[in-house]
């Protein structure tokens, strides 16, 4: 039951972070089709990065807000990613990225919209 509640909370965080990232991308691009394509590439890119090996593609995969889609699998498989001499458990990285995204993307979006007004 606890893992189900945690998964629901992480799902809500992931959807919120991904939505805010999409809003930020939309605020950065003048054309809506370009914003749609960038968002689609980021969303689908996570799937393709999941099939690659190596430290850099793995980090890129987990630094995207959409990385929480496979949270349960990361918990069950006990995946870790390296950061120098440390190994970080990927569920903690997913949670941290989601929370940071929720805090950072609204600020950046507001700054972009304020820049357009001036």
């Amino acid at each position: 039951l606890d893992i189900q509640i945690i998964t629901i909370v992480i799902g809500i965080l992931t959807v919120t972070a991904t939505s805010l990232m999409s809003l930020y991308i939309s605020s950065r691009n003048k054309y809506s089709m370009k914003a749609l394509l960038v968002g689609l590439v980021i969303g689908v890119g996570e799937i393709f990065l999941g099939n690659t090996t190596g430290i850099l593609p793995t980090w890129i995969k987990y630094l995207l807000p959409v990385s929480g889609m496979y949270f349960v699998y990361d918990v069950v498989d006990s995946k870790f990613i390296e950061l120098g001499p440390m190994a970080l458990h990927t569920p903690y990285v997913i949670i941290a990225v989601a929370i940071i995204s929720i805090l950072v993307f609204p600020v950046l979006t507001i700054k972009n919209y304020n820049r357009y007004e001036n």
Side-chain angles (χ1 to χ4, degrees):
L1 184 63
D2 290 339
I3 192 68
Q4 290 174 340
I5 293 170
I6 291 170
T7 302
I8 291 168
V9 170
I10 297 303
I12 292 169
L13 286 175
T14 299
V15 168
T16 304
T18 304
S19 299
L20 290 171
M21 180 191 67
S22 298
L23 186 64
Y24 170 70
I25 291 169
S26 176
S27 73
R28 292 286 300 174
N29 293 302
K30 184 177 180 181
Y31 303 105
S32 59
M33 186 56 80
K34 185 177 177 184
L36 178 67
L37 289 174
V38 170
L40 186 64
V41 166
I42 289 173
V44 175
E46 194 270 336
I47 295 169
F48 292 116
L49 286 172
N51 296 329
T52 60
T53 58
I55 294 173
L56 186 61
T58 303
W59 266 104
I60 292 171
K61 173 188 169 189
Y62 284 107
L63 289 179
L64 295 173
V66 296
S67 63
M69 292 189 310
Y70 305 108
F71 179 77
V72 173
Y73 299 113
D74 287 323
V75 171
V76 172
D77 291 342
S78 294
K79 293 184 179 181
F80 292 88
I81 50 178
E82 297 174 7
L83 179 63
M86 298 183 332
L88 300 172
H89 197 207
T90 55
Y92 294 126
V93 175
I94 291 170
I95 294 168
V97 166
I99 291 171
I100 291 169
S101 296
I102 290 171
L103 296 174
V104 170
F105 282 132
V107 173
L108 294 175
T109 303
I110 290 169
K111 286 180 85 170
N112 282 330
Y113 281 121
N114 286 340
R115 188 178 71 202
Y116 291 134
E117 288 181 1
N118 294 332

